[in-house]
Amino acid sequence: MANSTRQIADNVERIRERIAAAAARSGRQSSDVTLVAVAKYVDVATTRTLVECGCRVLGESRPQQLWEKATALSDLDPSWHLIGHLQRNKVKRTVPVVSLVESGDSVRLLDELNREVGERAIRLPVLLDFNVSGDVSKHGFDTGELERLADRLMSWPHLEFRGLMAMGGRTSDDHAVRAQFARVREVRDRLQDRVPSGIRLDDLSMGMSGDFEIAIEEGSTIVRVGSALFAGCD
Ligand SMILES: *Cc1c(COP(=O)(O)O)cnc(C)c1O
């Protein structure tokens, strides 16, 4: 455990250096990019280690895991992002523990989130999940759907739309990955022109262990890094 703690601390430090360097290449500062430490591969104890290594924002793709870890780590008070599909029957328990739902992927989910959040008289930050690769096995909106949504974001007054979340398609071709991230940014720019004033789609959540530097160079403000945090641990 002590060894893996040191390994994780080293990994976090390296990743932060790489984030800072990529941010500098895109004319920004490391503070302009949020590192979401994706904890879905590890147990509660190792997730605790992540927070102790300075990761204040954690990501989980499964709601139940998120609830369980949020309870177990409440003494450390990290922020939680949900990054995976949320079924509507899990909305009630998820809303009170997350600071950002990155995976706003259907109109029905947005309806349910808005209703739940409205009852609590709070507001909830949400990203729209853009299925940029067009992969039919993935959740999320396509470009046309996003454009139609842009005209009606006011119909969810309790949700605070902050931008887009996207995943690069399965390819090891850096040029193709970069082109996809650039496309996410372009779609966001077009949506920003359409949405009612007052809504700021400033956030682009894109980039994972294998491609976060390219994503930052293309304008990402949130990177979701999982496996690279645990490299060298067994
Ligand atoms: C698992 C996951 C990640 C992290 O992926 P790594 O390649 O392990 O860094 C990021 N985003 C989403 C939505 C995920 O499900």
Side-chain angles (χ1 to χ4, degrees):
M1 190 59 201
N3 278 339
S4 75
T5 297
R6 177 161 313 155
Q7 182 71 61
I8 290 171
D10 276 356
N11 291 345
V12 170
E13 195 182 324
R14 290 293 97 71
I15 290 165
R16 288 204 187 280
E17 286 166 3
R18 290 167 61 193
I19 289 173
R25 290 195 294 278
S26 71
R28 294 182 295 156
Q29 302 187 333
S30 52
S31 58
D32 296 327
V33 180
T34 299
L35 169 63
V36 177
V38 175
K40 68 184 181 190
Y41 309 107
V42 297
D43 61 10
V44 168
T46 307
T47 306
R48 176 173 290 276
T49 302
L50 280 177
V51 185
E52 287 166 351
C53 290
C55 297
R56 300 294 313 163
V57 186
L58 300 176
E60 270 293 338
S61 52
R62 291 178 190 277
Q64 287 103 320
Q65 241 121 311
L66 193 155
W67 308 335
E68 186 195 327
K69 288 180 176 174
T71 303
L73 302 178
S74 59
D75 58 312
L76 298 176
D77 199 27
S79 296
W80 289 96
H81 289 193
L82 182 72
I83 61 172
H85 180 59
L86 177 59
Q87 296 100 319
R88 284 175 301 149
N89 61 0
K90 303 209 168 87
V91 161
K92 198 182 261 307
R93 287 190 65 180
T94 301
V95 161
V97 279
V98 288
S99 64
L100 177 65
V101 171
E102 298 205 15
S103 43
D105 59 13
S106 75
V107 165
R108 279 153 49 121
L109 173 62
L110 298 179
D111 287 342
E112 186 63 21
L113 282 170
N114 184 66
R115 205 190 51 70
E116 181 63 32
V117 170
E119 281 183 5
R120 294 166 184 268
I122 53 173
R123 275 164 74 81
L124 178 72
V126 173
L127 303 182
L128 295 170
D129 181 353
F130 178 21
N131 184 359
V132 61
S133 64
D135 183 338
V136 292
S137 70
K138 286 191 182 143
H139 293 280
F141 298 106
D142 66 25
T143 313
E145 288 168 332
L146 284 177
E147 285 178 349
R148 286 189 292 280
L149 278 185
D151 298 329
R152 51 178 293 216
L153 290 185
M154 288 312 201
S155 30
W156 300 286
H158 303 295
L159 304 183
E160 206 172 285
F161 292 99
R162 294 267 181 89
L164 300 179
M165 190 264 266
M167 234 192 265
R170 248 170 262 139
T171 167
S172 52
D173 175 356
D174 282 359
H175 293 286
V177 171
R178 185 180 296 280
Q180 277 188 337
F181 290 146
R183 187 161 136 63
V184 177
R185 190 188 60 232
E186 286 157 18
V187 168
R188 187 277 309 273
D189 291 347
R190 283 215 305 279
L191 294 175
Q192 183 65 64
D193 289 340
R194 274 180 92 136
V195 296
S197 63
I199 294 182
R200 299 279 327 157
L201 303 176
D202 289 334
D203 279 316
L204 291 176
S205 175
M206 49 188 199
M208 320 200 316
S209 292
D211 54 20
F212 70 86
E213 288 153 302
I214 297 174
I216 292 168
E217 288 167 12
E218 295 303 325
S220 177
T221 64
I222 299 173
V223 292
R224 309 177 308 269
V225 178
S227 41
L229 295 167
F230 312 107
C233 303
D234 39 43

